[in-house]
Amino acid sequence: AAAPPADDLLPIEGLAAWLNVLGSFLTHFFAFGNVYSFSLFVTTYSEVFNKGRAEISFVYQLQVACQMALGFFTGRLADRFGVRPVYLVGVVFITAGLFIGSFVDEFWQMVLTHGLLVGVGNSCVYWPAITVVPQWFNKRRAMATGLAVFGAGLGNFALGLIIETLLRTRDFRFTLRILALFSLISLGISSLLLKRRLPNVKARSFCAGSDVLRNKNFILIAASAVFFQTGYNIPFSALSPFIEDRGFDKTFAAFAVGAVGIGSAVGRILLGIVADRVGRIGSFQFVMFGTGVVCAVWYFCTTEPSIVSFAVLFGFFSGGFIALVPVVMSEYFGVERLGTIMGYIAIGLVPGSFI
């Protein structure tokens, strides 16, 4: 169907636009704040289930892999049927995964709940939330997207401190139940705020949009995302154990995990503003290079100041990457079917989730 006249669409950068930014912000605050804080569960799960840290990290890897792999479907489903139906499925899966996980006694049950169910739910809320914001902005698109994904950095910091406190003073079961309640409330509010500006995409085939796979720019951006993902997830599952292995306590480990969130929050906003002014594609290249350099020196960070510096800088550069991927894609391919196009990117991110 032909797109409606511009007069029939809600205005660019109006109240509805900023409500979508708020909804996406809340999504990133909880969904990614929860994922990025997983390393705080590693030691506890290792003791409770008598498993090695590598085995416990599989829960995180499965969670991220499901979030990425299912983006192929959830992104295009949101394009075809709207954000809310897909998003509400995600709210149910995340809340159920966390709540049921608080009752499990076997490790394989935790894999299915905290890993599989939460991962599927994250995919249903993340891809619609990240791809809908660029539809509402033009001149300030990168800044608006940066504000939306700023929630992930802030959530990483806030939820990291909350999770560490609850694990230390109560147990993992109580912690998961609190997270389930928080999920239901915060994501439930988000579901009411997020809405496509453009009409739903009426594709004849579920594989519609595959023409981008032959586009040189898409191939290059997708390849960069694949290589980026290979190293990006490692600090989120390994940073806390890395710190504890060097003789620091869990409180400092939680602080360092939170410092990633602070750096990420600043990077997502600041680099978004800079990208709107100096160029979105050049900024995208800059943050990838910066993330690589920071990760290369991680092993040599053995003191508190160096570890905190690594955490902040890693968060700053990697957060900018997350903020700019949908913005760069919209630069090349527009915003109407951004969910579908990002879904193709998501498939390529799966292998890196298991490294």
Side-chain angles (χ1 to χ4, degrees):
D7 292 343
D8 293 342
L9 296 175
L10 292 171
I12 287 281
E13 302 188 17
L15 175 61
W18 292 108
L19 289 176
N20 273 271
V21 171
L22 176 59
S24 188
F25 171 90
L26 291 174
T27 302
H28 283 81
F29 182 92
F30 181 81
F32 270 95
N34 181 35
V35 171
Y36 291 165
S37 300
F38 181 82
S39 66
L40 298 173
F41 284 96
V42 171
T43 301
T44 298
Y45 283 174
S46 181
E47 296 170 352
V48 171
F49 299 110
N50 194 27
K51 299 290 183 180
R53 290 174 176 173
E55 293 175 274
I56 298 299
S57 294
F58 178 73
V59 177
Y60 169 82
Q61 293 167 342
L62 179 62
Q63 192 178 116
V64 175
C66 288
Q67 177 178 328
M68 298 306 168
L70 295 179
F72 176 81
F73 302 100
T74 57
R76 63 189 54 230
L77 285 172
D79 281 347
R80 293 184 66 176
F81 302 109
V83 172
R84 191 167 299 166
V86 181
Y87 195 96
L88 287 175
V89 171
V91 177
V92 172
F93 270 74
I94 294 174
T95 304
L98 294 170
F99 185 71
I100 298 173
S102 71
F103 294 97
V104 307
D105 295 312
E106 301 290 338
F107 178 62
W108 67 266
Q109 296 169 337
M110 187 58 74
V111 171
L112 293 179
T113 53
H114 201 174
L116 182 63
L117 288 181
V118 174
V120 172
N122 282 344
S123 184
C124 291
V125 301
Y126 170 66
W127 295 106
I130 190 62
T131 57
V132 74
V133 171
Q135 295 183 12
W136 294 90
F137 295 87
N138 188 6
K139 291 183 179 179
R140 292 187 285 183
R141 181 174 293 162
M143 184 191 75
T145 305
L147 286 170
V149 300
F150 163 70
L154 190 60
N156 185 10
F157 177 76
L159 290 182
L161 296 179
I162 292 171
I163 290 171
E164 189 276 332
T165 301
L166 291 176
L167 289 174
R168 176 166 44 83
T169 58
R170 301 296 294 266
D171 58 14
F172 84 89
R173 301 184 188 279
F174 183 79
T175 302
L176 290 180
R177 289 166 194 163
I178 293 298
L179 290 178
L181 178 61
F182 193 15
S183 163
L184 186 62
I185 295 173
S186 63
L187 298 181
I189 294 173
S190 298
S191 69
L192 301 177
L193 300 176
L194 295 169
K195 179 182 179 181
R196 284 178 59 85
R197 177 176 180 268
L198 300 176
N200 295 344
V201 177
K202 304 298 182 182
R204 295 181 180 180
S205 167
F206 200 74
C207 291
S210 60
D211 55 293
V212 300
L213 299 177
R214 299 185 295 272
N215 184 283
K216 181 182 70 174
N217 291 322
F218 176 86
I219 293 172
L220 291 173
I221 296 171
S224 68
V226 170
F227 285 111
F228 182 89
Q229 182 77 359
T230 301
Y232 171 69
N233 281 305
I234 295 175
F236 294 111
S237 63
L239 181 58
S240 182
F242 171 87
I243 293 171
E244 292 178 37
D245 285 345
R246 276 148 183 78
F248 299 102
D249 59 26
K250 293 182 179 180
T251 300
F252 176 67
F255 176 79
V257 170
V260 175
I262 294 297
S264 179
V266 174
R268 291 169 192 242
I269 294 181
L270 181 59
L271 292 171
I273 295 173
V274 170
D276 281 334
R277 294 178 178 272
V278 305
R280 295 161 183 170
I281 297 171
S283 299
F284 182 69
Q285 296 169 329
F286 170 71
V287 298
M288 282 192 292
F289 178 78
T291 304
V293 171
V294 172
C295 286
V297 302
W298 175 18
Y299 179 79
F300 303 100
C301 299
T302 57
T303 63
E304 288 190 2
S306 64
I307 290 172
V308 172
S309 297
F310 161 77
V312 172
L313 290 174
F314 172 76
F316 180 83
F317 286 108
S318 64
F321 177 87
I322 300 300
L324 291 176
V325 171
V327 175
V328 170
M329 281 299 181
S330 65
E331 284 283 291
Y332 284 112
F333 306 107
V335 297
E336 181 181 10
R337 53 176 186 163
L338 187 57
T340 297
I341 293 170
M342 290 294 292
Y344 285 114
I345 292 284
I347 294 175
L349 302 181
V350 175
S353 304
F354 288 103
I355 295 178

PDB file of all heavy atoms in Angstrom, residues 195-228:
ATOM      1  N   LYS A 195       5.223   3.300  19.813  1.00  0.00           N
ATOM      2  CA  LYS A 195       4.291   3.218  18.687  1.00  0.00           C
ATOM      3  C   LYS A 195       5.017   3.603  17.403  1.00  0.00           C
ATOM      4  O   LYS A 195       5.812   4.548  17.387  1.00  0.00           O
ATOM      5  CB  LYS A 195       3.106   4.180  18.921  1.00  0.00           C
ATOM      6  CG  LYS A 195       2.087   4.203  17.799  1.00  0.00           C
ATOM      7  CD  LYS A 195       0.987   5.212  18.093  1.00  0.00           C
ATOM      8  CE  LYS A 195      -0.025   5.269  16.962  1.00  0.00           C
ATOM      9  NZ  LYS A 195      -1.087   6.279  17.224  1.00  0.00           N
ATOM     10  N   ARG A 196       4.738   2.878  16.324  1.00  0.00           N
ATOM     11  CA  ARG A 196       5.297   3.251  15.020  1.00  0.00           C
ATOM     12  C   ARG A 196       4.701   4.570  14.539  1.00  0.00           C
ATOM     13  O   ARG A 196       3.510   4.814  14.701  1.00  0.00           O
ATOM     14  CB  ARG A 196       4.987   2.168  13.983  1.00  0.00           C
ATOM     15  CG  ARG A 196       5.843   0.921  14.085  1.00  0.00           C
ATOM     16  CD  ARG A 196       5.418  -0.103  13.036  1.00  0.00           C
ATOM     17  NE  ARG A 196       5.521   0.403  11.677  1.00  0.00           N
ATOM     18  CZ  ARG A 196       6.627   0.385  10.931  1.00  0.00           C
ATOM     19  NH1 ARG A 196       7.735  -0.125  11.437  1.00  0.00           N
ATOM     20  NH2 ARG A 196       6.632   0.855   9.702  1.00  0.00           N
ATOM     21  N   ARG A 197       5.533   5.406  13.959  1.00  0.00           N
ATOM     22  CA  ARG A 197       5.032   6.632  13.323  1.00  0.00           C
ATOM     23  C   ARG A 197       4.507   6.330  11.930  1.00  0.00           C
ATOM     24  O   ARG A 197       3.485   6.890  11.500  1.00  0.00           O
ATOM     25  CB  ARG A 197       6.146   7.690  13.236  1.00  0.00           C
ATOM     26  CG  ARG A 197       5.717   8.971  12.517  1.00  0.00           C
ATOM     27  CD  ARG A 197       6.825  10.018  12.533  1.00  0.00           C
ATOM     28  NE  ARG A 197       6.391  11.217  11.837  1.00  0.00           N
ATOM     29  CZ  ARG A 197       6.589  11.453  10.545  1.00  0.00           C
ATOM     30  NH1 ARG A 197       7.244  10.559   9.808  1.00  0.00           N
ATOM     31  NH2 ARG A 197       6.154  12.560   9.987  1.00  0.00           N
ATOM     32  N   LEU A 198       5.181   5.450  11.214  1.00  0.00           N
ATOM     33  CA  LEU A 198       4.803   5.096   9.855  1.00  0.00           C
ATOM     34  C   LEU A 198       3.812   3.929   9.877  1.00  0.00           C
ATOM     35  O   LEU A 198       3.752   3.165  10.839  1.00  0.00           O
ATOM     36  CB  LEU A 198       6.047   4.710   9.051  1.00  0.00           C
ATOM     37  CG  LEU A 198       7.120   5.799   8.934  1.00  0.00           C
ATOM     38  CD1 LEU A 198       8.332   5.260   8.191  1.00  0.00           C
ATOM     39  CD2 LEU A 198       6.559   7.023   8.226  1.00  0.00           C
ATOM     40  N   PRO A 199       3.027   3.757   8.813  1.00  0.00           N
ATOM     41  CA  PRO A 199       2.092   2.624   8.749  1.00  0.00           C
ATOM     42  C   PRO A 199       2.841   1.303   8.805  1.00  0.00           C
ATOM     43  O   PRO A 199       4.023   1.215   8.439  1.00  0.00           O
ATOM     44  CB  PRO A 199       1.409   2.813   7.388  1.00  0.00           C
ATOM     45  CG  PRO A 199       1.640   4.234   7.017  1.00  0.00           C
ATOM     46  CD  PRO A 199       2.946   4.629   7.629  1.00  0.00           C
ATOM     47  N   ASN A 200       2.158   0.267   9.266  1.00  0.00           N
ATOM     48  CA  ASN A 200       2.764  -1.052   9.281  1.00  0.00           C
ATOM     49  C   ASN A 200       3.144  -1.474   7.870  1.00  0.00           C
ATOM     50  O   ASN A 200       2.463  -1.126   6.899  1.00  0.00           O
ATOM     51  CB  ASN A 200       1.802  -2.080   9.886  1.00  0.00           C
ATOM     52  CG  ASN A 200       1.518  -1.808  11.353  1.00  0.00           C
ATOM     53  OD1 ASN A 200       2.243  -1.058  12.003  1.00  0.00           O
ATOM     54  ND2 ASN A 200       0.466  -2.421  11.865  1.00  0.00           N
ATOM     55  N   VAL A 201       4.233  -2.204   7.760  1.00  0.00           N
ATOM     56  CA  VAL A 201       4.722  -2.652   6.461  1.00  0.00           C
ATOM     57  C   VAL A 201       3.907  -3.854   6.007  1.00  0.00           C
ATOM     58  O   VAL A 201       3.837  -4.869   6.711  1.00  0.00           O
ATOM     59  CB  VAL A 201       6.220  -3.026   6.535  1.00  0.00           C
ATOM     60  CG1 VAL A 201       6.703  -3.568   5.195  1.00  0.00           C
ATOM     61  CG2 VAL A 201       7.034  -1.807   6.947  1.00  0.00           C
ATOM     62  N   LYS A 202       3.283  -3.758   4.836  1.00  0.00           N
ATOM     63  CA  LYS A 202       2.460  -4.848   4.300  1.00  0.00           C
ATOM     64  C   LYS A 202       3.286  -5.672   3.327  1.00  0.00           C
ATOM     65  O   LYS A 202       3.173  -5.537   2.111  1.00  0.00           O
ATOM     66  CB  LYS A 202       1.211  -4.282   3.602  1.00  0.00           C
ATOM     67  CG  LYS A 202       0.358  -3.377   4.482  1.00  0.00           C
ATOM     68  CD  LYS A 202      -0.194  -4.123   5.700  1.00  0.00           C
ATOM     69  CE  LYS A 202      -1.092  -3.205   6.537  1.00  0.00           C
ATOM     70  NZ  LYS A 202      -1.599  -3.897   7.741  1.00  0.00           N
ATOM     71  N   ALA A 203       4.140  -6.522   3.862  1.00  0.00           N
ATOM     72  CA  ALA A 203       5.009  -7.342   3.017  1.00  0.00           C
ATOM     73  C   ALA A 203       4.275  -8.602   2.583  1.00  0.00           C
ATOM     74  O   ALA A 203       3.561  -9.221   3.361  1.00  0.00           O
ATOM     75  CB  ALA A 203       6.274  -7.713   3.770  1.00  0.00           C
ATOM     76  N   ARG A 204       4.451  -9.001   1.316  1.00  0.00           N
ATOM     77  CA  ARG A 204       3.827 -10.213   0.803  1.00  0.00           C
ATOM     78  C   ARG A 204       4.538 -11.467   1.306  1.00  0.00           C
ATOM     79  O   ARG A 204       3.932 -12.519   1.451  1.00  0.00           O
ATOM     80  CB  ARG A 204       3.835 -10.197  -0.730  1.00  0.00           C
ATOM     81  CG  ARG A 204       2.986  -9.077  -1.331  1.00  0.00           C
ATOM     82  CD  ARG A 204       3.026  -9.146  -2.856  1.00  0.00           C
ATOM     83  NE  ARG A 204       2.216  -8.085  -3.442  1.00  0.00           N
ATOM     84  CZ  ARG A 204       2.075  -7.917  -4.765  1.00  0.00           C
ATOM     85  NH1 ARG A 204       2.702  -8.720  -5.610  1.00  0.00           N
ATOM     86  NH2 ARG A 204       1.334  -6.930  -5.205  1.00  0.00           N
ATOM     87  N   SER A 205       5.817 -11.357   1.538  1.00  0.00           N
ATOM     88  CA  SER A 205       6.603 -12.504   1.972  1.00  0.00           C
ATOM     89  C   SER A 205       7.313 -12.161   3.274  1.00  0.00           C
ATOM     90  O   SER A 205       7.709 -11.014   3.504  1.00  0.00           O
ATOM     91  CB  SER A 205       7.642 -12.883   0.913  1.00  0.00           C
ATOM     92  OG  SER A 205       8.590 -13.792   1.425  1.00  0.00           O
ATOM     93  N   PHE A 206       7.478 -13.176   4.141  1.00  0.00           N
ATOM     94  CA  PHE A 206       8.163 -12.948   5.396  1.00  0.00           C
ATOM     95  C   PHE A 206       9.650 -12.675   5.177  1.00  0.00           C
ATOM     96  O   PHE A 206      10.320 -12.137   6.035  1.00  0.00           O
ATOM     97  CB  PHE A 206       8.002 -14.161   6.318  1.00  0.00           C
ATOM     98  CG  PHE A 206       8.257 -13.836   7.759  1.00  0.00           C
ATOM     99  CD1 PHE A 206       7.325 -13.111   8.489  1.00  0.00           C
ATOM    100  CD2 PHE A 206       9.420 -14.240   8.383  1.00  0.00           C
ATOM    101  CE1 PHE A 206       7.558 -12.792   9.824  1.00  0.00           C
ATOM    102  CE2 PHE A 206       9.661 -13.934   9.721  1.00  0.00           C
ATOM    103  CZ  PHE A 206       8.724 -13.211  10.439  1.00  0.00           C
ATOM    104  N   CYS A 207      10.139 -13.029   3.999  1.00  0.00           N
ATOM    105  CA  CYS A 207      11.547 -12.774   3.663  1.00  0.00           C
ATOM    106  C   CYS A 207      11.712 -11.493   2.860  1.00  0.00           C
ATOM    107  O   CYS A 207      12.767 -11.258   2.268  1.00  0.00           O
ATOM    108  CB  CYS A 207      12.136 -13.955   2.894  1.00  0.00           C
ATOM    109  SG  CYS A 207      12.329 -15.440   3.902  1.00  0.00           S
ATOM    110  N   ALA A 208      10.660 -10.684   2.817  1.00  0.00           N
ATOM    111  CA  ALA A 208      10.756  -9.412   2.097  1.00  0.00           C
ATOM    112  C   ALA A 208      11.851  -8.559   2.719  1.00  0.00           C
ATOM    113  O   ALA A 208      12.086  -8.598   3.923  1.00  0.00           O
ATOM    114  CB  ALA A 208       9.417  -8.674   2.155  1.00  0.00           C
ATOM    115  N   GLY A 209      12.518  -7.779   1.886  1.00  0.00           N
ATOM    116  CA  GLY A 209      13.607  -6.936   2.359  1.00  0.00           C
ATOM    117  C   GLY A 209      14.966  -7.557   2.188  1.00  0.00           C
ATOM    118  O   GLY A 209      15.983  -6.953   2.529  1.00  0.00           O
ATOM    119  N   SER A 210      15.005  -8.758   1.629  1.00  0.00           N
ATOM    120  CA  SER A 210      16.280  -9.446   1.464  1.00  0.00           C
ATOM    121  C   SER A 210      17.163  -8.797   0.407  1.00  0.00           C
ATOM    122  O   SER A 210      18.330  -9.164   0.263  1.00  0.00           O
ATOM    123  CB  SER A 210      16.058 -10.918   1.106  1.00  0.00           C
ATOM    124  OG  SER A 210      15.323 -11.034  -0.105  1.00  0.00           O
ATOM    125  N   ASP A 211      16.611  -7.806  -0.321  1.00  0.00           N
ATOM    126  CA  ASP A 211      17.415  -7.109  -1.327  1.00  0.00           C
ATOM    127  C   ASP A 211      18.623  -6.399  -0.691  1.00  0.00           C
ATOM    128  O   ASP A 211      19.643  -6.184  -1.346  1.00  0.00           O
ATOM    129  CB  ASP A 211      16.552  -6.086  -2.077  1.00  0.00           C
ATOM    130  CG  ASP A 211      15.866  -5.113  -1.132  1.00  0.00           C
ATOM    131  OD1 ASP A 211      14.988  -5.559  -0.369  1.00  0.00           O
ATOM    132  OD2 ASP A 211      16.216  -3.920  -1.156  1.00  0.00           O
ATOM    133  N   VAL A 212      18.509  -6.048   0.604  1.00  0.00           N
ATOM    134  CA  VAL A 212      19.620  -5.353   1.254  1.00  0.00           C
ATOM    135  C   VAL A 212      20.852  -6.248   1.373  1.00  0.00           C
ATOM    136  O   VAL A 212      21.970  -5.741   1.519  1.00  0.00           O
ATOM    137  CB  VAL A 212      19.221  -4.839   2.659  1.00  0.00           C
ATOM    138  CG1 VAL A 212      18.064  -3.866   2.575  1.00  0.00           C
ATOM    139  CG2 VAL A 212      18.903  -5.990   3.595  1.00  0.00           C
ATOM    140  N   LEU A 213      20.652  -7.553   1.306  1.00  0.00           N
ATOM    141  CA  LEU A 213      21.771  -8.484   1.448  1.00  0.00           C
ATOM    142  C   LEU A 213      22.764  -8.365   0.301  1.00  0.00           C
ATOM    143  O   LEU A 213      23.895  -8.835   0.397  1.00  0.00           O
ATOM    144  CB  LEU A 213      21.262  -9.917   1.550  1.00  0.00           C
ATOM    145  CG  LEU A 213      20.340 -10.217   2.739  1.00  0.00           C
ATOM    146  CD1 LEU A 213      19.860 -11.661   2.682  1.00  0.00           C
ATOM    147  CD2 LEU A 213      21.045  -9.938   4.056  1.00  0.00           C
ATOM    148  N   ARG A 214      22.328  -7.745  -0.797  1.00  0.00           N
ATOM    149  CA  ARG A 214      23.204  -7.550  -1.943  1.00  0.00           C
ATOM    150  C   ARG A 214      23.814  -6.151  -1.979  1.00  0.00           C
ATOM    151  O   ARG A 214      24.558  -5.820  -2.896  1.00  0.00           O
ATOM    152  CB  ARG A 214      22.437  -7.812  -3.245  1.00  0.00           C
ATOM    153  CG  ARG A 214      21.904  -9.235  -3.356  1.00  0.00           C
ATOM    154  CD  ARG A 214      21.253  -9.486  -4.706  1.00  0.00           C
ATOM    155  NE  ARG A 214      20.063  -8.665  -4.894  1.00  0.00           N
ATOM    156  CZ  ARG A 214      18.838  -9.031  -4.506  1.00  0.00           C
ATOM    157  NH1 ARG A 214      18.658 -10.195  -3.898  1.00  0.00           N
ATOM    158  NH2 ARG A 214      17.805  -8.250  -4.726  1.00  0.00           N
ATOM    159  N   ASN A 215      23.480  -5.346  -0.986  1.00  0.00           N
ATOM    160  CA  ASN A 215      23.965  -3.970  -0.932  1.00  0.00           C
ATOM    161  C   ASN A 215      25.342  -3.919  -0.265  1.00  0.00           C
ATOM    162  O   ASN A 215      25.532  -4.453   0.830  1.00  0.00           O
ATOM    163  CB  ASN A 215      22.968  -3.107  -0.152  1.00  0.00           C
ATOM    164  CG  ASN A 215      23.345  -1.639  -0.141  1.00  0.00           C
ATOM    165  OD1 ASN A 215      24.239  -1.236   0.587  1.00  0.00           O
ATOM    166  ND2 ASN A 215      22.656  -0.846  -0.948  1.00  0.00           N
ATOM    167  N   LYS A 216      26.307  -3.268  -0.905  1.00  0.00           N
ATOM    168  CA  LYS A 216      27.676  -3.226  -0.388  1.00  0.00           C
ATOM    169  C   LYS A 216      27.747  -2.570   0.973  1.00  0.00           C
ATOM    170  O   LYS A 216      28.467  -3.052   1.871  1.00  0.00           O
ATOM    171  CB  LYS A 216      28.578  -2.479  -1.372  1.00  0.00           C
ATOM    172  CG  LYS A 216      30.043  -2.412  -0.928  1.00  0.00           C
ATOM    173  CD  LYS A 216      30.897  -1.623  -1.915  1.00  0.00           C
ATOM    174  CE  LYS A 216      30.559  -0.137  -1.859  1.00  0.00           C
ATOM    175  NZ  LYS A 216      31.468   0.683  -2.700  1.00  0.00           N
ATOM    176  N   ASN A 217      27.017  -1.486   1.159  1.00  0.00           N
ATOM    177  CA  ASN A 217      27.060  -0.798   2.447  1.00  0.00           C
ATOM    178  C   ASN A 217      26.514  -1.684   3.565  1.00  0.00           C
ATOM    179  O   ASN A 217      27.064  -1.723   4.669  1.00  0.00           O
ATOM    180  CB  ASN A 217      26.260   0.507   2.372  1.00  0.00           C
ATOM    181  CG  ASN A 217      26.933   1.539   1.488  1.00  0.00           C
ATOM    182  OD1 ASN A 217      28.155   1.674   1.480  1.00  0.00           O
ATOM    183  ND2 ASN A 217      26.141   2.273   0.714  1.00  0.00           N
ATOM    184  N   PHE A 218      25.436  -2.396   3.271  1.00  0.00           N
ATOM    185  CA  PHE A 218      24.873  -3.301   4.279  1.00  0.00           C
ATOM    186  C   PHE A 218      25.877  -4.386   4.642  1.00  0.00           C
ATOM    187  O   PHE A 218      26.062  -4.711   5.823  1.00  0.00           O
ATOM    188  CB  PHE A 218      23.582  -3.943   3.774  1.00  0.00           C
ATOM    189  CG  PHE A 218      23.014  -4.966   4.725  1.00  0.00           C
ATOM    190  CD1 PHE A 218      22.186  -4.569   5.761  1.00  0.00           C
ATOM    191  CD2 PHE A 218      23.339  -6.307   4.600  1.00  0.00           C
ATOM    192  CE1 PHE A 218      21.688  -5.505   6.663  1.00  0.00           C
ATOM    193  CE2 PHE A 218      22.846  -7.251   5.485  1.00  0.00           C
ATOM    194  CZ  PHE A 218      22.013  -6.847   6.517  1.00  0.00           C
ATOM    195  N   ILE A 219      26.506  -4.961   3.640  1.00  0.00           N
ATOM    196  CA  ILE A 219      27.467  -6.045   3.883  1.00  0.00           C
ATOM    197  C   ILE A 219      28.608  -5.569   4.776  1.00  0.00           C
ATOM    198  O   ILE A 219      29.015  -6.255   5.719  1.00  0.00           O
ATOM    199  CB  ILE A 219      28.006  -6.588   2.548  1.00  0.00           C
ATOM    200  CG1 ILE A 219      26.879  -7.287   1.767  1.00  0.00           C
ATOM    201  CG2 ILE A 219      29.161  -7.557   2.785  1.00  0.00           C
ATOM    202  CD1 ILE A 219      27.266  -7.684   0.363  1.00  0.00           C
ATOM    203  N   LEU A 220      29.129  -4.376   4.508  1.00  0.00           N
ATOM    204  CA  LEU A 220      30.236  -3.851   5.300  1.00  0.00           C
ATOM    205  C   LEU A 220      29.811  -3.561   6.739  1.00  0.00           C
ATOM    206  O   LEU A 220      30.541  -3.883   7.696  1.00  0.00           O
ATOM    207  CB  LEU A 220      30.787  -2.584   4.644  1.00  0.00           C
ATOM    208  CG  LEU A 220      31.522  -2.778   3.317  1.00  0.00           C
ATOM    209  CD1 LEU A 220      31.874  -1.431   2.697  1.00  0.00           C
ATOM    210  CD2 LEU A 220      32.783  -3.617   3.522  1.00  0.00           C
ATOM    211  N   ILE A 221      28.633  -2.957   6.913  1.00  0.00           N
ATOM    212  CA  ILE A 221      28.162  -2.646   8.268  1.00  0.00           C
ATOM    213  C   ILE A 221      27.856  -3.932   9.030  1.00  0.00           C
ATOM    214  O   ILE A 221      28.201  -4.073  10.214  1.00  0.00           O
ATOM    215  CB  ILE A 221      26.909  -1.745   8.209  1.00  0.00           C
ATOM    216  CG1 ILE A 221      27.265  -0.396   7.579  1.00  0.00           C
ATOM    217  CG2 ILE A 221      26.342  -1.530   9.610  1.00  0.00           C
ATOM    218  CD1 ILE A 221      26.064   0.467   7.274  1.00  0.00           C
ATOM    219  N   ALA A 222      27.231  -4.885   8.350  1.00  0.00           N
ATOM    220  CA  ALA A 222      26.907  -6.157   8.995  1.00  0.00           C
ATOM    221  C   ALA A 222      28.178  -6.887   9.421  1.00  0.00           C
ATOM    222  O   ALA A 222      28.256  -7.443  10.521  1.00  0.00           O
ATOM    223  CB  ALA A 222      26.081  -7.030   8.059  1.00  0.00           C
ATOM    224  N   ALA A 223      29.189  -6.876   8.556  1.00  0.00           N
ATOM    225  CA  ALA A 223      30.452  -7.537   8.887  1.00  0.00           C
ATOM    226  C   ALA A 223      31.111  -6.880  10.097  1.00  0.00           C
ATOM    227  O   ALA A 223      31.647  -7.572  10.989  1.00  0.00           O
ATOM    228  CB  ALA A 223      31.391  -7.504   7.691  1.00  0.00           C
ATOM    229  N   SER A 224      31.070  -5.561  10.152  1.00  0.00           N
ATOM    230  CA  SER A 224      31.666  -4.865  11.295  1.00  0.00           C
ATOM    231  C   SER A 224      30.931  -5.215  12.580  1.00  0.00           C
ATOM    232  O   SER A 224      31.549  -5.394  13.642  1.00  0.00           O
ATOM    233  CB  SER A 224      31.636  -3.349  11.066  1.00  0.00           C
ATOM    234  OG  SER A 224      30.312  -2.845  11.098  1.00  0.00           O
ATOM    235  N   ALA A 225      29.593  -5.329  12.505  1.00  0.00           N
ATOM    236  CA  ALA A 225      28.810  -5.685  13.686  1.00  0.00           C
ATOM    237  C   ALA A 225      29.126  -7.098  14.159  1.00  0.00           C
ATOM    238  O   ALA A 225      29.187  -7.371  15.359  1.00  0.00           O
ATOM    239  CB  ALA A 225      27.320  -5.544  13.386  1.00  0.00           C
ATOM    240  N   VAL A 226      29.325  -8.021  13.206  1.00  0.00           N
ATOM    241  CA  VAL A 226      29.649  -9.406  13.555  1.00  0.00           C
ATOM    242  C   VAL A 226      30.972  -9.470  14.315  1.00  0.00           C
ATOM    243  O   VAL A 226      31.075 -10.118  15.373  1.00  0.00           O
ATOM    244  CB  VAL A 226      29.722 -10.280  12.286  1.00  0.00           C
ATOM    245  CG1 VAL A 226      30.309 -11.649  12.621  1.00  0.00           C
ATOM    246  CG2 VAL A 226      28.336 -10.448  11.675  1.00  0.00           C
ATOM    247  N   PHE A 227      32.000  -8.801  13.808  1.00  0.00           N
ATOM    248  CA  PHE A 227      33.299  -8.815  14.474  1.00  0.00           C
ATOM    249  C   PHE A 227      33.238  -8.095  15.822  1.00  0.00           C
ATOM    250  O   PHE A 227      33.869  -8.510  16.793  1.00  0.00           O
ATOM    251  CB  PHE A 227      34.366  -8.185  13.580  1.00  0.00           C
ATOM    252  CG  PHE A 227      34.793  -9.063  12.446  1.00  0.00           C
ATOM    253  CD1 PHE A 227      34.468  -8.742  11.138  1.00  0.00           C
ATOM    254  CD2 PHE A 227      35.513 -10.235  12.686  1.00  0.00           C
ATOM    255  CE1 PHE A 227      34.860  -9.559  10.080  1.00  0.00           C
ATOM    256  CE2 PHE A 227      35.907 -11.059  11.642  1.00  0.00           C
ATOM    257  CZ  PHE A 227      35.579 -10.725  10.336  1.00  0.00           C
ATOM    258  N   PHE A 228      32.467  -7.014  15.877  1.00  0.00           N
ATOM    259  CA  PHE A 228      32.319  -6.272  17.124  1.00  0.00           C
ATOM    260  C   PHE A 228      31.690  -7.148  18.201  1.00  0.00           C
ATOM    261  O   PHE A 228      32.161  -7.191  19.342  1.00  0.00           O
ATOM    262  CB  PHE A 228      31.454  -5.029  16.882  1.00  0.00           C
ATOM    263  CG  PHE A 228      31.277  -4.165  18.100  1.00  0.00           C
ATOM    264  CD1 PHE A 228      32.179  -3.148  18.375  1.00  0.00           C
ATOM    265  CD2 PHE A 228      30.209  -4.362  18.960  1.00  0.00           C
ATOM    266  CE1 PHE A 228      32.021  -2.343  19.497  1.00  0.00           C
ATOM    267  CE2 PHE A 228      30.040  -3.560  20.081  1.00  0.00           C
ATOM    268  CZ  PHE A 228      30.949  -2.549  20.348  1.00  0.00           C
TER     269      PHE A 228
END
